[in-house]
Amino acid sequence: MTTVLAAGDHFVRADRLAAAVREACGPDGADLDVVELTLPWPDVPFGRVAEVDEASDAEDEMITHLAGAQACVTQMGPVTARVLEACPDLRFVGVGRGGPVNVNLEAATSHGVQVTRAPGRNAVATAEHTVAMMLAAARRIPQVHADLLAGTWRGDFYRYDTAGPEIAGSTVGLVGVGEIGERVASRLEGFGARVLVHDPYLPEGHPRAAGAVDLDELLGAADFLSLHARLTADNARMIGARELSLLPQGAVLVNCARAGLLDHDALCDALESGHLHAAALDVFPEEPPAADSRLLRAPRLVMTPHLAGASRQTADNACRIVAADLAAHLRGEQPEHLVNPEVLR
Protein backbone atom coordinates (compact mmCIF):
# COMPACT_ATOMS: atom_id res chain seq x y z
CA MET A 1 0.00 0.00 0.00
CA THR A 2 1.37 3.41 -1.03
CA THR A 3 0.52 6.33 1.23
CA VAL A 4 0.09 9.78 -0.35
CA LEU A 5 -0.37 13.02 1.58
CA ALA A 6 -2.67 15.51 -0.17
CA ALA A 7 -1.64 18.69 1.68
CA GLY A 8 -4.12 21.16 0.26
CA ASP A 9 -5.40 24.54 1.36
CA HIS A 10 -8.50 26.65 0.80
CA PHE A 11 -7.65 27.19 -2.89
CA VAL A 12 -5.99 23.98 -4.10
CA ARG A 13 -8.20 21.87 -1.88
CA ALA A 14 -7.09 18.62 -0.30
CA ASP A 15 -10.21 16.77 -1.42
CA ARG A 16 -9.70 17.83 -5.03
CA LEU A 17 -6.03 16.86 -4.88
CA ALA A 18 -7.01 13.46 -3.52
CA ALA A 19 -9.66 12.97 -6.21
CA ALA A 20 -7.22 13.96 -8.96
CA VAL A 21 -4.63 11.51 -7.64
CA ARG A 22 -7.12 8.63 -7.64
CA GLU A 23 -8.35 9.50 -11.13
CA ALA A 24 -4.83 9.83 -12.57
CA CYS A 25 -3.77 6.49 -11.10
CA GLY A 26 -6.80 4.69 -12.54
CA PRO A 27 -7.40 1.16 -11.24
CA ASP A 28 -4.13 1.38 -9.29
CA GLY A 29 -5.65 4.24 -7.29
CA ALA A 30 -7.57 1.70 -5.26
CA ASP A 31 -4.29 0.60 -3.73
CA LEU A 32 -3.46 4.11 -2.51
CA ASP A 33 -3.98 5.39 1.00
CA VAL A 34 -4.55 9.11 0.41
CA VAL A 35 -4.32 11.18 3.59
CA GLU A 36 -5.79 14.70 3.47
CA LEU A 37 -4.44 17.78 5.27
CA THR A 38 -5.81 21.31 4.90
CA LEU A 39 -3.34 24.15 5.41
CA PRO A 40 -4.67 27.61 6.29
CA TRP A 41 -3.68 29.63 3.17
CA PRO A 42 -5.05 32.05 2.00
CA ASP A 43 -6.87 32.78 5.26
CA VAL A 44 -3.41 32.89 6.86
CA PRO A 45 -0.78 34.46 4.56
CA PHE A 46 2.17 32.40 3.41
CA GLY A 47 5.73 33.44 4.22
CA ARG A 48 9.24 32.16 4.65
CA VAL A 49 9.39 28.94 6.68
CA ALA A 50 12.87 27.92 7.79
CA GLU A 51 14.89 27.93 4.55
CA VAL A 52 11.98 27.85 2.02
CA ASP A 53 9.80 30.64 0.65
CA GLU A 54 6.07 31.15 0.20
CA ALA A 55 4.82 28.31 2.38
CA SER A 56 2.35 27.81 5.20
CA ASP A 57 4.01 27.68 8.61
CA ALA A 58 3.19 24.01 9.13
CA GLU A 59 6.38 21.96 9.46
CA ASP A 60 5.05 20.05 12.47
CA GLU A 61 1.76 19.22 10.73
CA MET A 62 3.60 18.07 7.61
CA ILE A 63 5.89 15.79 9.65
CA THR A 64 2.93 14.28 11.49
CA HIS A 65 0.88 13.60 8.36
CA LEU A 66 3.85 12.41 6.28
CA ALA A 67 4.67 9.63 8.74
CA GLY A 68 5.08 6.52 6.59
CA ALA A 69 4.07 8.36 3.39
CA GLN A 70 5.92 7.78 0.14
CA ALA A 71 4.48 10.77 -1.73
CA CYS A 72 3.08 14.24 -1.17
CA VAL A 73 1.11 16.57 -3.43
CA THR A 74 0.77 20.13 -2.20
CA GLN A 75 0.79 23.82 -3.00
CA MET A 76 1.79 25.48 0.26
CA GLY A 77 3.21 22.64 2.36
CA PRO A 78 6.74 23.45 3.58
CA VAL A 79 9.14 20.69 2.53
CA THR A 80 12.17 21.81 4.48
CA ALA A 81 15.34 19.97 5.41
CA ARG A 82 13.75 19.26 8.79
CA VAL A 83 10.65 17.76 7.18
CA LEU A 84 12.70 15.66 4.79
CA GLU A 85 14.95 14.39 7.59
CA ALA A 86 11.90 13.36 9.61
CA CYS A 87 10.22 11.56 6.70
CA PRO A 88 12.66 8.95 5.34
CA ASP A 89 9.97 7.07 3.36
CA LEU A 90 9.19 10.09 1.19
CA ARG A 91 10.18 9.66 -2.48
CA PHE A 92 7.99 12.16 -4.38
CA VAL A 93 6.76 15.72 -3.85
CA GLY A 94 4.46 17.27 -6.44
CA VAL A 95 4.13 21.05 -6.09
CA GLY A 96 1.05 22.59 -7.70
CA ARG A 97 2.79 25.86 -8.58
CA GLY A 98 4.94 27.21 -11.37
CA GLY A 99 8.05 26.65 -9.27
CA PRO A 100 8.72 24.54 -6.14
CA VAL A 101 9.68 27.52 -3.96
CA ASN A 102 8.26 25.80 -0.86
CA VAL A 103 10.70 22.89 -1.24
CA ASN A 104 14.37 22.71 -0.23
CA LEU A 105 15.36 21.27 -3.58
CA GLU A 106 18.95 20.53 -2.61
CA ALA A 107 17.87 18.62 0.48
CA ALA A 108 15.15 16.77 -1.45
CA THR A 109 17.67 15.68 -4.06
CA SER A 110 20.13 14.48 -1.44
CA HIS A 111 17.33 12.44 0.17
CA GLY A 112 16.41 10.87 -3.18
CA VAL A 113 13.05 12.66 -3.41
CA GLN A 114 11.71 13.56 -6.85
CA VAL A 115 10.19 17.05 -7.02
CA THR A 116 7.80 18.23 -9.73
CA ARG A 117 6.05 21.50 -10.48
CA ALA A 118 2.94 22.66 -12.36
CA PRO A 119 3.97 25.07 -15.12
CA GLY A 120 1.18 26.95 -16.86
CA ARG A 121 -1.45 26.09 -14.24
CA ASN A 122 -2.52 29.75 -13.93
CA ALA A 123 -1.56 30.99 -17.40
CA VAL A 124 -5.09 31.60 -18.66
CA ALA A 125 -6.30 33.19 -15.43
CA THR A 126 -3.32 35.52 -15.22
CA ALA A 127 -3.53 36.48 -18.88
CA GLU A 128 -7.21 37.34 -18.54
CA HIS A 129 -6.55 39.31 -15.35
CA THR A 130 -3.75 41.22 -17.08
CA VAL A 131 -6.04 42.33 -19.90
CA ALA A 132 -8.72 43.25 -17.37
CA MET A 133 -6.19 45.37 -15.48
CA MET A 134 -5.18 47.15 -18.69
CA LEU A 135 -8.78 48.06 -19.40
CA ALA A 136 -9.54 49.00 -15.80
CA ALA A 137 -6.52 51.30 -15.57
CA ALA A 138 -6.85 52.87 -19.02
CA ARG A 139 -10.55 53.62 -18.61
CA ARG A 140 -10.42 54.42 -14.86
CA ILE A 141 -13.12 51.85 -14.10
CA PRO A 142 -12.41 51.43 -10.35
CA GLN A 143 -12.09 55.18 -9.86
CA VAL A 144 -15.35 56.14 -11.54
CA HIS A 145 -17.17 53.28 -9.80
CA ALA A 146 -16.01 54.66 -6.44
CA ASP A 147 -16.97 58.19 -7.52
CA LEU A 148 -20.48 57.04 -8.41
CA LEU A 149 -20.88 55.34 -5.04
CA ALA A 150 -19.81 58.61 -3.43
CA GLY A 151 -22.41 60.54 -5.43
CA THR A 152 -20.08 62.09 -8.03
CA TRP A 153 -20.86 61.86 -11.76
CA ARG A 154 -17.53 62.20 -13.59
CA GLY A 155 -18.65 63.77 -16.84
CA ASP A 156 -15.28 65.51 -17.01
CA PHE A 157 -13.69 62.22 -18.08
CA TYR A 158 -15.48 62.65 -21.40
CA ARG A 159 -13.16 65.57 -22.18
CA TYR A 160 -10.62 64.81 -24.91
CA ASP A 161 -7.66 65.62 -22.67
CA THR A 162 -8.83 63.30 -19.87
CA ALA A 163 -10.37 60.40 -21.83
CA GLY A 164 -8.54 57.09 -21.70
CA PRO A 165 -6.91 55.24 -24.61
CA GLU A 166 -8.21 52.21 -26.48
CA ILE A 167 -6.23 49.00 -26.81
CA ALA A 168 -7.28 48.67 -30.45
CA GLY A 169 -4.69 50.37 -32.63
CA SER A 170 -2.27 50.80 -29.73
CA THR A 171 1.19 49.30 -29.43
CA VAL A 172 1.52 46.92 -26.49
CA GLY A 173 4.99 45.99 -25.25
CA LEU A 174 5.36 42.67 -23.42
CA VAL A 175 8.48 41.95 -21.37
CA GLY A 176 8.61 38.16 -21.24
CA VAL A 177 6.71 35.79 -23.53
CA GLY A 178 6.29 32.57 -21.59
CA GLU A 179 3.06 30.70 -20.91
CA ILE A 180 1.31 33.85 -19.68
CA GLY A 181 2.87 36.44 -21.96
CA GLU A 182 1.98 34.47 -25.07
CA ARG A 183 -1.64 34.25 -24.00
CA VAL A 184 -1.73 37.98 -23.27
CA ALA A 185 -0.29 38.65 -26.72
CA SER A 186 -2.90 36.56 -28.51
CA ARG A 187 -5.75 38.16 -26.60
CA LEU A 188 -4.51 41.69 -27.27
CA GLU A 189 -4.02 40.94 -30.95
CA GLY A 190 -7.67 39.93 -30.89
CA PHE A 191 -8.41 43.46 -29.67
CA GLY A 192 -6.55 44.84 -32.68
CA ALA A 193 -3.36 45.85 -30.86
CA ARG A 194 0.15 45.72 -32.33
CA VAL A 195 2.24 43.58 -29.97
CA LEU A 196 5.99 43.99 -29.49
CA VAL A 197 7.96 41.59 -27.31
CA HIS A 198 11.26 41.62 -25.47
CA ASP A 199 12.53 38.31 -24.15
CA PRO A 200 16.25 37.43 -24.26
CA TYR A 201 15.41 33.81 -23.41
CA LEU A 202 13.25 33.09 -26.44
CA PRO A 203 14.63 29.98 -28.17
CA GLU A 204 15.50 30.02 -31.85
CA GLY A 205 12.51 29.06 -33.89
CA HIS A 206 9.99 30.48 -31.42
CA PRO A 207 7.16 32.11 -33.41
CA ARG A 208 7.87 35.50 -31.83
CA ALA A 209 11.68 35.33 -31.81
CA ALA A 210 12.11 36.95 -35.21
CA GLY A 211 10.05 39.97 -34.20
CA ALA A 212 11.56 40.45 -30.73
CA VAL A 213 13.16 43.83 -30.04
CA ASP A 214 15.55 45.21 -27.44
CA LEU A 215 14.08 46.70 -24.30
CA ASP A 216 14.68 50.37 -25.13
CA GLU A 217 13.05 50.01 -28.56
CA LEU A 218 10.03 48.34 -26.98
CA LEU A 219 9.72 51.01 -24.30
CA GLY A 220 9.92 53.82 -26.83
CA ALA A 221 6.95 52.45 -28.76
CA ALA A 222 4.71 50.98 -26.03
CA ASP A 223 1.40 52.70 -25.34
CA PHE A 224 0.80 49.83 -22.91
CA LEU A 225 3.63 48.00 -21.11
CA SER A 226 2.98 44.65 -19.43
CA LEU A 227 5.56 42.66 -17.46
CA HIS A 228 5.67 38.86 -17.67
CA ALA A 229 9.32 37.96 -17.01
CA ARG A 230 10.51 35.62 -14.30
CA LEU A 231 12.47 37.49 -11.64
CA THR A 232 16.21 36.79 -11.68
CA ALA A 233 19.31 38.44 -10.25
CA ASP A 234 19.90 39.98 -13.68
CA ASN A 235 16.51 41.64 -14.17
CA ALA A 236 15.66 42.89 -10.66
CA ARG A 237 14.21 46.43 -10.88
CA MET A 238 14.71 46.32 -14.64
CA ILE A 239 11.98 48.95 -15.06
CA GLY A 240 13.19 52.04 -13.23
CA ALA A 241 13.13 55.80 -13.71
CA ARG A 242 15.15 55.73 -16.95
CA GLU A 243 13.02 53.01 -18.48
CA LEU A 244 9.75 54.69 -17.49
CA SER A 245 10.93 57.94 -19.03
CA LEU A 246 11.33 56.16 -22.38
CA LEU A 247 7.63 55.25 -22.48
CA PRO A 248 5.45 57.61 -24.53
CA GLN A 249 3.60 60.30 -22.59
CA GLY A 250 0.31 58.84 -21.40
CA ALA A 251 1.36 55.19 -21.44
CA VAL A 252 -0.19 52.54 -19.17
CA LEU A 253 1.92 50.04 -17.19
CA VAL A 254 0.68 46.70 -15.84
CA ASN A 255 2.55 44.24 -13.62
CA CYS A 256 0.93 40.90 -12.79
CA ALA A 257 4.28 39.07 -12.70
CA ARG A 258 6.80 39.78 -9.94
CA ALA A 259 7.12 42.96 -7.91
CA GLY A 260 10.91 42.84 -8.03
CA LEU A 261 10.90 43.66 -11.76
CA LEU A 262 9.79 47.23 -11.02
CA ASP A 263 11.15 50.24 -9.11
CA HIS A 264 7.99 51.29 -7.29
CA ASP A 265 9.24 54.70 -6.19
CA ALA A 266 10.00 55.48 -9.84
CA LEU A 267 6.51 54.27 -10.75
CA CYS A 268 4.93 56.60 -8.18
CA ASP A 269 7.04 59.48 -9.52
CA ALA A 270 5.86 58.79 -13.08
CA LEU A 271 2.22 58.70 -11.99
CA GLU A 272 2.48 61.81 -9.83
CA SER A 273 4.19 63.76 -12.62
CA GLY A 274 1.52 62.75 -15.12
CA HIS A 275 3.99 61.03 -17.44
CA LEU A 276 1.98 57.79 -17.12
CA HIS A 277 -1.73 57.86 -17.80
CA ALA A 278 -2.24 55.02 -15.35
CA ALA A 279 -0.78 51.82 -13.92
CA ALA A 280 -2.08 48.57 -12.50
CA LEU A 281 -0.39 46.19 -10.03
CA ASP A 282 -1.27 42.74 -8.76
CA VAL A 283 2.10 42.20 -7.02
CA PHE A 284 3.87 44.35 -4.46
CA PRO A 285 7.31 44.62 -2.83
CA GLU A 286 5.60 44.04 0.52
CA GLU A 287 2.35 42.07 0.67
CA PRO A 288 0.13 43.56 1.86
CA PRO A 289 1.57 47.06 1.36
CA ALA A 290 2.39 48.95 4.53
CA ALA A 291 -0.04 51.65 5.60
CA ASP A 292 2.51 54.35 4.71
CA SER A 293 3.33 52.92 1.25
CA ARG A 294 3.41 55.51 -1.52
CA LEU A 295 1.50 53.04 -3.69
CA LEU A 296 -1.62 53.54 -1.56
CA ARG A 297 -1.54 57.28 -2.33
CA ALA A 298 -0.39 57.22 -5.96
CA PRO A 299 -2.90 58.67 -8.44
CA ARG A 300 -4.48 56.56 -11.20
CA LEU A 301 -3.12 53.29 -9.81
CA VAL A 302 -5.36 50.21 -9.90
CA MET A 303 -4.41 47.46 -7.43
CA THR A 304 -5.53 43.90 -6.77
CA PRO A 305 -4.16 41.75 -3.90
CA HIS A 306 -2.08 39.17 -5.84
CA LEU A 307 -5.21 37.60 -7.32
CA ALA A 308 -4.31 37.29 -11.00
CA GLY A 309 -4.09 33.51 -10.87
CA ALA A 310 -7.13 33.01 -8.64
CA SER A 311 -9.57 31.01 -10.76
CA ARG A 312 -11.18 27.66 -10.05
CA GLN A 313 -9.61 26.35 -13.24
CA THR A 314 -6.15 27.26 -11.90
CA ALA A 315 -6.73 25.17 -8.78
CA ASP A 316 -8.06 22.25 -10.81
CA ASN A 317 -5.15 22.50 -13.25
CA ALA A 318 -2.69 22.30 -10.34
CA CYS A 319 -4.38 19.15 -9.06
CA ARG A 320 -4.42 17.52 -12.48
CA ILE A 321 -0.76 18.27 -13.28
CA VAL A 322 0.71 17.05 -10.00
CA ALA A 323 -1.53 13.98 -10.01
CA ALA A 324 -0.38 13.02 -13.52
CA ASP A 325 3.26 13.37 -12.46
CA LEU A 326 2.64 11.27 -9.36
CA ALA A 327 1.00 8.57 -11.47
CA ALA A 328 4.06 8.51 -13.75
CA HIS A 329 6.33 8.24 -10.72
CA LEU A 330 4.36 5.31 -9.34
CA ARG A 331 4.61 3.55 -12.71
CA GLY A 332 8.39 3.91 -12.58
CA GLU A 333 8.42 6.53 -15.36
CA GLN A 334 10.04 9.96 -15.34
CA PRO A 335 7.42 12.60 -14.45
CA GLU A 336 6.91 15.20 -17.16
CA HIS A 337 7.60 18.17 -14.89
CA LEU A 338 10.49 16.77 -12.82
CA VAL A 339 12.81 19.55 -11.63
CA ASN A 340 15.62 17.40 -10.17
CA PRO A 341 16.28 14.63 -12.70
CA GLU A 342 19.63 13.94 -11.03
CA VAL A 343 17.64 11.87 -8.51
CA LEU A 344 17.21 9.29 -11.28
CA ARG A 345 20.94 8.85 -11.85
Side-chain angles (χ1 to χ4, degrees):
M1 176 73 72
T2 298
T3 300
V4 179
L5 173 63
D9 49 61
H10 298 296
F11 179 51
V12 178
R13 286 172 23 182
D15 61 337
R16 299 189 75 84
L17 277 169
V21 165
R22 293 190 179 97
E23 181 178 354
C25 292
D28 294 335
D31 295 328
L32 297 179
D33 176 22
V34 183
V35 178
E36 297 182 18
L37 168 65
T38 297
L39 300 172
W41 189 83
D43 297 346
V44 177
F46 62 62
R48 187 166 181 83
V49 178
E51 74 278 12
V52 303
D53 290 321
E54 297 186 14
S56 291
D57 189 5
E59 283 183 293
D60 291 341
E61 292 92 331
M62 291 289 286
I63 291 170
T64 297
H65 286 79
L66 279 170
Q70 291 78 43
C72 175
V73 288
T74 189
Q75 177 182 231
M76 290 293 172
V79 185
T80 62
R82 176 178 168 235
V83 171
L84 289 159
E85 188 66 31
C87 304
D89 296 322
L90 192 63
R91 288 293 173 265
F92 175 92
V93 174
V95 177
R97 306 165 77 170
V101 293
N102 53 314
V103 177
N104 182 329
L105 191 57
E106 181 178 354
T109 302
S110 69
H111 281 80
V113 177
Q114 292 183 4
V115 179
T116 68
R117 64 190 184 98
R121 62 160 193 157
N122 64 352
V124 170
T126 304
E128 291 181 355
H129 194 89
T130 298
V131 175
M133 293 284 267
M134 284 187 183
L135 291 166
R139 306 301 292 272
R140 298 189 178 94
I141 292 171
Q143 179 183 349
V144 294
H145 172 77
D147 288 338
L148 272 174
L149 291 179
T152 301
W153 182 269
R154 295 302 300 265
D156 55 315
F157 283 158
Y158 228 118
R159 293 172 54 91
Y160 184 88
D161 56 348
T162 57
E166 296 178 357
I167 292 176
S170 295
T171 296
V172 179
L174 303 182
V175 178
V177 201
E179 293 271 2
I180 297 168
E182 180 56 43
R183 284 169 170 79
V184 171
S186 64
R187 283 155 175 75
L188 293 175
E189 287 168 339
F191 273 80
R194 170 192 178 220
V195 175
L196 292 179
V197 303
H198 169 76
D199 190 334
Y201 302 104
L202 278 180
E204 289 186 20
H206 188 283
R208 296 194 183 272
V213 299
D214 68 30
L215 182 59
D216 283 4
E217 180 179 349
L218 179 143
L219 293 171
D223 303 302
F224 292 82
L225 175 66
S226 189
L227 308 183
H228 299 284
R230 285 190 175 275
L231 181 63
T232 70
D234 295 329
N235 65 14
R237 294 164 69 93
M238 67 183 298
I239 305 299
R242 186 192 78 85
E243 290 74 23
L244 292 172
S245 72
L246 296 178
L247 289 168
Q249 176 74 28
V252 176
L253 180 147
V254 177
N255 187 12
C256 292
R258 289 294 179 185
L261 297 169
L262 181 62
D263 181 332
H264 291 84
D265 279 325
L267 173 66
C268 290
D269 291 342
L271 288 166
E272 290 169 1
S273 72
H275 179 65
L276 291 182
H277 171 76
L281 301 177
D282 185 58
V283 289
F284 304 87
E286 181 183 2
E287 296 187 352
D292 61 352
S293 171
R294 287 182 69 189
L295 294 172
L296 301 181
R297 303 187 305 275
R300 304 180 310 283
L301 177 60
V302 176
M303 295 178 285
T304 53
H306 208 147
L307 285 177
S311 72
R312 292 181 178 178
Q313 289 86 347
T314 291
D316 289 338
N317 289 341
C319 295
R320 175 182 51 80
I321 293 169
V322 297
D325 279 337
L326 172 58
H329 166 82
L330 294 176
R331 292 192 302 266
E333 302 169 4
Q334 178 168 330
E336 181 179 358
H337 305 107
L338 185 66
V339 297
N340 57 343
E342 56 268 37
V343 169
L344 302 177
R345 300 189 188 117

Short mmCIF file of all heavy atoms in Angstrom, two decimals, residues 68-100:
data_model
loop_
_atom_site.label_atom_id
_atom_site.label_comp_id
_atom_site.label_asym_id
_atom_site.label_seq_id
_atom_site.Cartn_x
_atom_site.Cartn_y
_atom_site.Cartn_z
N GLY A 68 5.30 7.72 7.39
CA GLY A 68 5.08 6.52 6.59
C GLY A 68 4.67 6.77 5.16
O GLY A 68 4.49 5.82 4.39
N ALA A 69 4.52 8.05 4.75
CA ALA A 69 4.07 8.36 3.39
C ALA A 69 5.22 8.30 2.40
O ALA A 69 6.34 8.71 2.71
CB ALA A 69 3.42 9.73 3.35
N GLN A 70 4.92 7.83 1.20
CA GLN A 70 5.92 7.78 0.14
C GLN A 70 5.81 8.97 -0.82
O GLN A 70 6.74 9.23 -1.58
CB GLN A 70 5.76 6.49 -0.69
CG GLN A 70 6.13 5.22 0.06
CD GLN A 70 5.03 4.78 1.02
OE1 GLN A 70 3.86 4.80 0.69
NE2 GLN A 70 5.43 4.38 2.23
N ALA A 71 4.69 9.68 -0.79
CA ALA A 71 4.48 10.77 -1.73
C ALA A 71 3.65 11.87 -1.10
O ALA A 71 2.86 11.63 -0.17
CB ALA A 71 3.78 10.25 -2.99
N CYS A 72 3.83 13.07 -1.64
CA CYS A 72 3.08 14.24 -1.17
C CYS A 72 2.75 15.12 -2.36
O CYS A 72 3.60 15.37 -3.22
CB CYS A 72 3.90 15.03 -0.15
SG CYS A 72 3.14 16.59 0.39
N VAL A 73 1.50 15.56 -2.44
CA VAL A 73 1.11 16.57 -3.43
C VAL A 73 0.59 17.77 -2.66
O VAL A 73 -0.21 17.62 -1.72
CB VAL A 73 0.05 16.03 -4.41
CG1 VAL A 73 0.68 15.02 -5.37
CG2 VAL A 73 -1.13 15.39 -3.69
N THR A 74 1.06 18.95 -3.02
CA THR A 74 0.77 20.13 -2.20
C THR A 74 0.98 21.39 -2.99
O THR A 74 1.56 21.38 -4.09
CB THR A 74 1.67 20.14 -0.94
OG1 THR A 74 1.24 21.18 -0.05
CG2 THR A 74 3.14 20.36 -1.31
N GLN A 75 0.50 22.50 -2.46
CA GLN A 75 0.79 23.82 -3.00
C GLN A 75 1.58 24.64 -1.99
O GLN A 75 2.56 25.29 -2.36
CB GLN A 75 -0.49 24.57 -3.37
CG GLN A 75 -0.19 25.99 -3.86
CD GLN A 75 -1.42 26.80 -4.20
OE1 GLN A 75 -1.49 27.36 -5.27
NE2 GLN A 75 -2.38 26.88 -3.32
N MET A 76 1.20 24.62 -0.75
CA MET A 76 1.79 25.48 0.26
C MET A 76 2.51 24.72 1.37
O MET A 76 3.04 25.34 2.29
CB MET A 76 0.71 26.36 0.90
CG MET A 76 0.16 27.43 -0.02
SD MET A 76 1.43 28.67 -0.41
CE MET A 76 0.56 29.61 -1.67
N GLY A 77 2.55 23.40 1.31
CA GLY A 77 3.21 22.64 2.36
C GLY A 77 4.71 22.88 2.37
O GLY A 77 5.36 22.74 1.34
N PRO A 78 5.30 23.24 3.51
CA PRO A 78 6.74 23.45 3.58
C PRO A 78 7.49 22.12 3.59
O PRO A 78 7.30 21.30 4.49
CB PRO A 78 6.92 24.21 4.90
CG PRO A 78 5.79 23.72 5.76
CD PRO A 78 4.64 23.47 4.81
N VAL A 79 8.32 21.91 2.59
CA VAL A 79 9.14 20.69 2.53
C VAL A 79 10.57 21.13 2.78
O VAL A 79 11.36 21.35 1.87
CB VAL A 79 8.97 19.97 1.19
CG1 VAL A 79 9.74 18.64 1.20
CG2 VAL A 79 7.48 19.71 0.90
N THR A 80 10.88 21.29 4.04
CA THR A 80 12.17 21.81 4.48
C THR A 80 13.13 20.65 4.75
O THR A 80 12.75 19.48 4.75
CB THR A 80 11.99 22.62 5.77
OG1 THR A 80 11.48 21.75 6.78
CG2 THR A 80 11.01 23.78 5.56
N ALA A 81 14.37 21.00 5.05
CA ALA A 81 15.34 19.97 5.41
C ALA A 81 14.87 19.21 6.65
O ALA A 81 15.04 17.98 6.74
CB ALA A 81 16.71 20.61 5.66
N ARG A 82 14.27 19.92 7.58
CA ARG A 82 13.75 19.26 8.79
C ARG A 82 12.65 18.26 8.46
O ARG A 82 12.61 17.15 8.98
CB ARG A 82 13.24 20.32 9.77
CG ARG A 82 12.60 19.75 11.02
CD ARG A 82 12.15 20.84 11.97
NE ARG A 82 11.30 20.27 13.01
CZ ARG A 82 10.07 20.70 13.29
NH1 ARG A 82 9.56 21.73 12.64
NH2 ARG A 82 9.36 20.12 14.24
N VAL A 83 11.73 18.66 7.59
CA VAL A 83 10.65 17.76 7.18
C VAL A 83 11.21 16.54 6.46
O VAL A 83 10.82 15.40 6.74
CB VAL A 83 9.63 18.51 6.29
CG1 VAL A 83 8.63 17.54 5.68
CG2 VAL A 83 8.90 19.58 7.10
N LEU A 84 12.13 16.77 5.55
CA LEU A 84 12.70 15.66 4.79
C LEU A 84 13.47 14.70 5.70
O LEU A 84 13.39 13.48 5.54
CB LEU A 84 13.62 16.21 3.70
CG LEU A 84 12.89 16.91 2.54
CD1 LEU A 84 13.83 17.85 1.80
CD2 LEU A 84 12.30 15.88 1.58
N GLU A 85 14.19 15.23 6.66
CA GLU A 85 14.95 14.39 7.59
C GLU A 85 14.01 13.53 8.42
O GLU A 85 14.33 12.37 8.75
CB GLU A 85 15.81 15.27 8.49
CG GLU A 85 16.78 14.51 9.37
CD GLU A 85 17.87 13.80 8.60
OE1 GLU A 85 18.26 14.31 7.53
OE2 GLU A 85 18.32 12.73 9.05
N ALA A 86 12.85 14.08 8.76
CA ALA A 86 11.90 13.36 9.61
C ALA A 86 11.03 12.36 8.85
O ALA A 86 10.31 11.59 9.48
CB ALA A 86 11.01 14.37 10.33
N CYS A 87 11.11 12.39 7.52
CA CYS A 87 10.22 11.56 6.70
C CYS A 87 11.03 10.72 5.71
O CYS A 87 11.03 10.98 4.50
CB CYS A 87 9.22 12.44 5.96
SG CYS A 87 8.24 13.50 7.06
N PRO A 88 11.73 9.70 6.19
CA PRO A 88 12.66 8.95 5.34
C PRO A 88 11.97 8.12 4.26
O PRO A 88 12.63 7.70 3.30
CB PRO A 88 13.39 8.04 6.35
CG PRO A 88 12.44 7.91 7.50
CD PRO A 88 11.74 9.23 7.58
N ASP A 89 10.67 7.86 4.38
CA ASP A 89 9.97 7.07 3.36
C ASP A 89 9.59 7.90 2.14
O ASP A 89 9.22 7.34 1.10
CB ASP A 89 8.70 6.45 3.94
CG ASP A 89 9.01 5.45 5.06
OD1 ASP A 89 10.00 4.72 4.93
OD2 ASP A 89 8.26 5.42 6.06
N LEU A 90 9.66 9.21 2.26
CA LEU A 90 9.19 10.09 1.19
C LEU A 90 10.07 9.97 -0.05
O LEU A 90 11.31 10.03 0.04
CB LEU A 90 9.19 11.54 1.69
CG LEU A 90 8.47 12.58 0.82
CD1 LEU A 90 6.99 12.27 0.73
CD2 LEU A 90 8.67 13.98 1.41
N ARG A 91 9.44 9.79 -1.23
CA ARG A 91 10.18 9.66 -2.48
C ARG A 91 9.68 10.58 -3.58
O ARG A 91 10.30 10.68 -4.64
CB ARG A 91 10.11 8.21 -2.98
CG ARG A 91 10.94 7.23 -2.14
CD ARG A 91 12.43 7.54 -2.29
NE ARG A 91 13.26 6.75 -1.40
CZ ARG A 91 13.68 7.14 -0.22
NH1 ARG A 91 13.31 8.35 0.25
NH2 ARG A 91 14.46 6.39 0.53
N PHE A 92 8.56 11.29 -3.34
CA PHE A 92 7.99 12.16 -4.38
C PHE A 92 7.27 13.32 -3.73
O PHE A 92 6.50 13.13 -2.78
CB PHE A 92 7.01 11.36 -5.25
CG PHE A 92 6.29 12.20 -6.28
CD1 PHE A 92 6.80 12.35 -7.56
CD2 PHE A 92 5.09 12.84 -5.96
CE1 PHE A 92 6.13 13.12 -8.50
CE2 PHE A 92 4.42 13.62 -6.89
CZ PHE A 92 4.94 13.76 -8.17
N VAL A 93 7.52 14.53 -4.25
CA VAL A 93 6.76 15.72 -3.85
C VAL A 93 6.31 16.43 -5.12
O VAL A 93 7.14 16.87 -5.93
CB VAL A 93 7.60 16.69 -2.98
CG1 VAL A 93 6.81 17.97 -2.71
CG2 VAL A 93 7.99 16.03 -1.67
N GLY A 94 5.02 16.53 -5.31
CA GLY A 94 4.46 17.27 -6.44
C GLY A 94 3.94 18.61 -5.96
O GLY A 94 3.07 18.68 -5.08
N VAL A 95 4.50 19.69 -6.51
CA VAL A 95 4.13 21.05 -6.09
C VAL A 95 3.22 21.66 -7.15
O VAL A 95 3.62 21.80 -8.32
CB VAL A 95 5.39 21.92 -5.89
CG1 VAL A 95 4.99 23.35 -5.53
CG2 VAL A 95 6.27 21.33 -4.80
N GLY A 96 2.02 22.05 -6.76
CA GLY A 96 1.05 22.59 -7.70
C GLY A 96 1.23 24.06 -7.97
O GLY A 96 0.27 24.84 -7.92
N ARG A 97 2.46 24.46 -8.30
CA ARG A 97 2.79 25.86 -8.58
C ARG A 97 3.77 25.90 -9.74
O ARG A 97 4.36 24.88 -10.11
CB ARG A 97 3.41 26.53 -7.35
CG ARG A 97 2.57 26.39 -6.13
CD ARG A 97 3.32 26.71 -4.88
NE ARG A 97 3.48 28.13 -4.69
CZ ARG A 97 3.94 28.69 -3.57
NH1 ARG A 97 4.28 27.92 -2.55
NH2 ARG A 97 4.07 29.98 -3.47
N GLY A 98 4.01 27.09 -10.27
CA GLY A 98 4.94 27.21 -11.37
C GLY A 98 6.36 26.83 -11.01
O GLY A 98 7.12 26.35 -11.84
N GLY A 99 6.73 27.03 -9.75
CA GLY A 99 8.05 26.65 -9.27
C GLY A 99 7.94 26.11 -7.85
O GLY A 99 7.08 26.55 -7.08
N PRO A 100 8.81 25.17 -7.47
CA PRO A 100 8.72 24.54 -6.14
C PRO A 100 9.43 25.36 -5.06
O PRO A 100 10.33 24.88 -4.38
CB PRO A 100 9.40 23.20 -6.36
CG PRO A 100 10.45 23.48 -7.39
CD PRO A 100 9.85 24.53 -8.30
#
